[in-house]
Amino acid sequence: MRRFQYKPVAKGSRKMVFSVIVFIVVLAAFLGGLSSLFDKTLRRQKESLESALMRSITYCYIEEGAYPESLDYLREHYRFVYDEDLFYVDYHAAGANILPDFMIMEKRGK
């Protein structure tokens, strides 16, 4: 009676372990690529938003001879829209003939 006997590991199980490891590595590379793509897209959206906001501010100054006093004014009169779930726009008007200061921040909490 042999209770403790050595059984060699089958070649099929080694192949299975190797396949699982390769799958995990490929999955990690894919998820890393998706994350990088998301970051690049978000950065381009932010650049586009900055450009659109500056264009709207300039257009308002050309049309009315004064800079807009608030972001809401741009929304109402110049159809300025952006995704408020992705970005926060901090807008400060210093005066009618002084270029407003604004900062665009990404909302990362979602």
Side-chain angles (χ1 to χ4, degrees):
M1 227 163 111
R2 292 182 170 183
R3 286 189 177 183
F4 303 105
Q5 124 183 11
Y6 173 74
K7 289 185 180 180
V9 177
K11 289 185 179 181
S13 64
R14 286 182 184 165
K15 288 181 181 179
M16 178 77 144
V17 169
F18 180 73
S19 296
V20 169
I21 291 172
V22 168
F23 174 75
I24 290 172
V25 168
V26 169
L27 182 64
F30 178 73
L31 292 176
L34 277 180
S35 175
S36 174
L37 182 65
F38 177 74
D39 289 342
K40 286 179 185 177
T41 302
L42 195 60
R43 190 176 20 195
R44 285 189 179 179
Q45 286 178 340
K46 183 178 178 181
E47 291 169 1
S48 178
L49 177 58
E50 285 178 4
S51 175
L53 182 56
M54 193 63 196
R55 213 173 19 252
S56 295
I57 290 170
T58 305
Y59 186 71
C60 177
Y61 186 76
I62 290 170
E63 288 290 315
E64 299 180 13
Y67 289 110
E69 65 268 1
S70 69
L71 198 57
D72 291 331
Y73 187 83
L74 284 175
R75 287 184 187 137
E76 292 172 17
H77 295 92
Y78 293 94
R79 298 181 189 165
F80 177 73
V81 293
Y82 67 96
D83 190 353
E84 295 182 30
D85 293 333
L86 286 179
F87 299 104
Y88 172 75
V89 178
D90 187 27
Y91 184 91
H92 297 283
N97 290 326
I98 299 173
L99 183 67
D101 184 35
F102 63 88
M103 183 172 40
I104 298 171
M105 295 174 273
E106 300 170 11
K107 292 182 179 179
R108 291 274 183 171
K110 295 196 176 198

